[in-house]
Amino acid sequence: NLYNMLQELRGNIRVFCRIRPLFDSTSRSTIDCIGEDGSVMVFDPLKPQSTRKVFQFNKVFGPKATQGDVYKETQSLIRSVVDGYNVCIFAYGQTGSGKTHTMYGPSGGSGQDNGINYMALNDLFHISGARENVKYQINVQMVEIYNEQVRDLLAEDSSATRLEIRTCTSNGQMTLPDAKMLLVGSTEDVINAMKLGETNRASSFTAMNDRSSRSHSILIVHVHGEEDSGEVTNSCLYLVDLAGSERVDRSEATGDRLKEAQHINKSLSCLGDVITALAQKNSHIPYRNSKLTQLLQKSLGGNAKMLMFAHISPEVESFTETISTLKFAQRAS
Ligand code: ADP
Ligand code: MG
């Protein structure tokens, strides 16, 4: 349809900005205004004289936007997966800016207000189920990347499994052959898989509080289609809740915390480099510089479609991080 055609013309990289509501609705916001055209203007209320800065995106979701509003703009990508495209959707932003809310939902995703992961899978079942001449099989893997190590979140003993990213000999693409693959047939299966993943993620790190903000969690959805004629399609959807992008004060962080921060900085800056190279249509794309970009390789570049959510916390204290998130996201356009 026309909408899809317009999406095609816009290219394969799209960037949306999402601003969460103020935690304290009586405090001041750094968001000056949001344009229908995808622009957002920010300023520092503590420095009224400083100039307002404008950033341009494909779309901006303000604090009142619902999960449904956000998903409506994402849905065409999910359709693309069934059509055989590889797709990557990821949430970027500082800790507390709403990444997990967008991808999973407020209660970790099992209750009301489910996020993109659930709605996407739900849609995949509907769209694939409605295609008459093709039989689809949907499998999921769930992993996290922490300190440049990939860990299987669906394995029985998830702490024991450190996964290698391997090159598939038949098509040269990067895969995780040793990560547990779960066949899913309904949204309930998906919810159970994600619950298991979340439990595994939390359990081995009780000592470190909120470790989830310092690792990337990735839900990998494999869609395998077989037409009556025997033709086969394989595509992948990567749903990524990135580690918090905030800068850690080097003078304060030491030991494990410093190591974590360095790994996060490295992988997010590698991701930024890959996106910039893609946006500039460079011939060399530096995928190999981090585990994250290696793993996402087939869903970034080529025919693949990518969507980044840049998440913003509107509080005054977050202004510096807000500017840095907006600048990062701007690199893609
Ligand atoms: P992050 O994953 O980036 O650290 P969270 O998704 O955990 O951030 O969000 C931080 C808090 O703000 C959570 O309590 C979450 O429920 C709430 N929140 C985030 N985005 C929204 C939103 N758009 N509407 C309402 N509450 C939100
Ligand atoms: Mg989170």
Side-chain angles (χ1 to χ4, degrees):
N1 62 19
L2 187 61
Y3 179 77
N4 278 339
M5 273 167 62
L6 285 172
Q7 297 284 351
E8 296 301 328
L9 288 174
R10 276 197 216 136
N12 293 334
I13 303 181
R14 240 164 294 162
V15 187
F16 294 166
C17 176
R18 188 175 195 188
I19 303 153
R20 82 149 153 65
L22 282 162
F23 283 140
D24 170 4
S25 60
T26 60
S27 64
R28 284 194 283 184
S29 166
T30 59
I31 312 302
D32 193 43
C33 68
I34 297 168
E36 282 287 309
D37 60 344
S39 65
V40 58
M41 195 188 274
V42 295
F43 76 117
D44 185 350
L46 300 179
K47 295 185 193 138
Q49 281 90 345
S50 65
T51 50
R52 282 154 161 68
K53 293 189 172 70
V54 181
F55 296 84
Q56 183 69 43
F57 299 100
N58 296 113
K59 185 105 198 155
V60 179
F61 296 97
K64 294 208 181 85
T66 63
Q67 300 285 70
D69 295 336
V70 171
Y71 187 68
K72 208 156 55 178
E73 298 293 329
T74 311
Q75 205 165 18
S76 68
L77 282 178
I78 305 307
R79 198 167 288 277
S80 293
V81 179
V82 187
D83 289 334
Y85 290 90
N86 293 323
V87 171
C88 184
I89 301 176
F90 59 85
Y92 182 95
Q94 74 179 113
T95 299
S97 59
K99 298 181 296 296
T100 303
H101 183 89
T102 295
M103 302 308 288
Y104 291 88
S107 53
S110 45
Q112 291 274 298
D113 245 9
N114 281 339
I116 286 176
N117 290 7
Y118 296 89
M119 298 206 244
L121 266 302
N122 205 8
D123 245 8
L124 277 181
F125 292 129
H126 278 120
I127 300 167
S128 61
R131 300 219 169 154
E132 281 178 0
N133 307 315
V134 196
K135 278 203 178 60
Y136 287 94
Q137 222 185 47
I138 300 179
N139 283 280
V140 296
Q141 292 176 306
M142 191 172 169
V143 298
E144 75 171 349
I145 302 178
Y146 176 70
N147 284 354
E148 286 298 277
Q149 286 176 13
V150 188
R151 202 163 68 98
D152 189 352
L153 292 178
L154 298 182
E156 249 107 83
D157 183 6
S158 64
S159 57
T161 46
R162 255 171 65 178
L163 302 172
E164 295 298 328
I165 300 174
R166 295 183 207 280
T167 313
C168 172
T169 43
S170 63
N171 59 15
Q173 292 186 331
M174 298 296 165
T175 56
L176 285 171
D178 305 321
K180 181 149 189 188
M181 189 73 96
L182 275 186
L183 178 67
V184 288
S186 68
T187 315
E188 209 187 330
D189 290 348
V190 176
I191 289 179
N192 288 336
M194 279 194 250
K195 270 191 187 151
L196 174 63
E198 278 306 302
T199 312
N200 276 338
R201 198 173 181 209
S203 65
S204 53
F205 289 91
T206 39
M208 277 183 256
N209 60 341
D210 194 24
R211 121 81 183 262
S212 71
S213 64
R214 302 199 287 276
S215 67
H216 310 300
S217 100
I218 309 174
L219 182 70
I220 308 171
V221 185
H222 301 265
V223 179
H224 172 85
E226 255 179 71
E227 291 186 28
D228 291 347
S229 63
E231 207 174 307
V232 168
T233 59
N234 282 299
S235 52
C236 262
L237 167 64
Y238 291 81
L239 298 158
V240 188
D241 186 355
L242 290 171
S245 60
E246 60 274 9
R247 297 282 137 179
V248 169
D249 188 345
R250 276 169 187 275
S251 59
E252 281 176 13
T254 55
D256 287 349
R257 193 76 187 85
L258 182 63
K259 193 170 130 196
E260 274 177 358
Q262 287 166 339
H263 283 302
I264 295 169
N265 284 352
K266 182 182 165 223
S267 61
L268 292 180
S269 73
C270 289
L271 178 63
D273 293 341
V274 164
I275 293 169
T276 305
L278 290 171
Q280 292 173 348
K281 304 202 186 324
N282 291 354
S283 56
H284 175 70
I285 313 290
Y287 294 110
R288 299 208 60 87
N289 296 344
S290 73
K291 287 281 185 324
L292 179 68
T293 48
Q294 275 175 37
L295 184 56
L296 298 181
Q297 179 166 349
K298 71 174 161 189
S299 66
L300 300 172
N303 258 336
K305 302 183 186 202
M306 185 198 99
L307 169 61
M308 161 159 55
F309 281 91
H311 286 90
I312 302 294
S313 302
E315 282 81 15
V316 176
E317 312 83 87
S318 296
F319 187 67
T320 310
E321 289 300 334
T322 293
I323 294 290
S324 123
T325 294
L326 292 168
K327 280 187 178 157
F328 181 94
Q330 198 91 289
R331 290 171 74 176
S333 42

